[in-house]
Amino acid sequence: MTVESAAPVATFDEIVARRSIVVCCGSGGVGKTTIAAVVALEGARLGRKTVVVTIDPAKRLADALGLAGLTGTPSRIEGDWPGELWATMLDTKSTFDALVAKYAATPEQGERILANRFYRNISGALSGTQEYMAMEKLYELHDETDFDLVVVDTPPTRHALDFLDAPRRLSRFLEHRLFRMLMAPSRGLARAVNVAAQTFLRTVSKVVGGDVVDDAIAFFQAFEGMEEGFRQRAARVTELIRAPETAFVLVASPRRDTVGEAHFFADRLGAAGIAVQGLVVNRMHPSFGDGLGEAAAERSRTLDGTDLGSLYRNLADFQTVASRERAHLAGLAEAVAPAPVVWVPFLSSDVHDIAGMGAVAGHLFARER
């Protein structure tokens, strides 16, 4: 399939300097949140006004940035850089509320929906709501604020696919026959839906209660006239995902399962016509050169029974692991080529502050930290 996004860049420096959106994707536990924070920090160091947003419920981003916590309103992080660094966390319900208020024809219509019990129940819990509101937040930060760079830290891989598909799913829902029936202008159940739907809803009422069904119908009828605004917004969000200004960065680790997840995600992006713009592999074992593993193993045998022999055996083992990792990852690097690939080694300590992120940046970007 023809890839519609911009041609791959040569380095991660160019991604941060030339793109206005960077989406960091990957399975859980590979350091994706840290990479998102490092990319955002680099944007600030390049003089750009940058915001990083997470929809990860583990809330690790606040820790990495040294913040007590994140909210749905961006918080500025002070530091010695020429640009600005901001951070925020997705608040699904408040984002949904703001969208309802935006597309309501009158303040009264918006208030009627926000007060509806059915809406209050689904606004934070309905399957796919979080993913769509994440895309809405991305669109809002990009189009309705003055940030130069928006960096998105997504949920683990397969949930991030929901993140990508959410606008399309919303559009399909708004076109669904049952939705259109429930939207029919009326005041009673008999006039709102046809006979078959009435039978279905009466059955549902016996299970969940008539009040629940009445609330749902009232919600859809209160929603009347707003669906076109939601549909157009979903279409614009989809365009933004595929725009040349958006870069998808894949984050993985050398473990076989996370490499498999990364392959899966790269394939799905390709099927959607989106190019991976960069690959980061965290926690790599260091490699000391071709052939060193065999030489160290042979040397350990000649010194068997000595402390020096044990050291050579350890060196041989490390080199063997490093070689296997690189061989295992070669296929993934080929799958995303010609996008740049960066190997980030094990660090001496966990990344939990700005200084630690600087150590990662030293591997990710060309300039020394």
Side-chain angles (χ1 to χ4, degrees), residues 279-317:
L279 169 64
V280 180
V281 183
N282 276 319
R283 306 186 186 106
M284 294 287 292
H285 285 83
S287 179
F288 302 100
D290 295 336
L292 181 60
E294 294 82 356
E298 179 60 30
R299 183 61 173 158
S300 72
R301 286 190 285 272
T302 65
L303 297 171
D304 191 30
T306 67
D307 291 342
L308 191 56
S310 296
L311 290 174
Y312 272 108
R313 275 196 302 276
N314 289 338
L315 178 59
D317 290 342

Side-chain angles (χ1 to χ4, degrees), residues 23-34:
V23 181
C24 295
C25 313
S27 56
V30 298
K32 174 172 52 64
T33 300
T34 298

